[in-house]
Amino acid sequence: MSDTLTIKTSGVAVLGEEQAKHFALSIFADVKAYIKEHRAEYEQWLIEQEAGEMDEDAV
């Protein structure tokens, strides 16, 4: 089994499937906590994005 912390490259950075799974699992709890803590800000941002899309559709 390859080391999931070693990034394989061929001139450019490549993240393999196993590496991606390891990365996602390692940050999941922090991302979930951040979203919970900043939910109101996120919802306000969504409202602003939707309003911007409506303005673009009117053009």
Side-chain angles (χ1 to χ4, degrees), residues 19-46:
Q19 293 166 324
K21 286 179 187 177
H22 178 80
F23 177 75
L25 290 173
S26 70
I27 66 167
F28 180 77
D30 291 332
V31 171
K32 186 176 178 180
Y34 180 87
I35 290 169
K36 185 177 180 180
E37 186 174 328
H38 297 277
R39 185 71 186 190
E41 293 172 36
Y42 171 69
E43 290 175 359
Q44 182 60 40
W45 178 82
L46 278 180

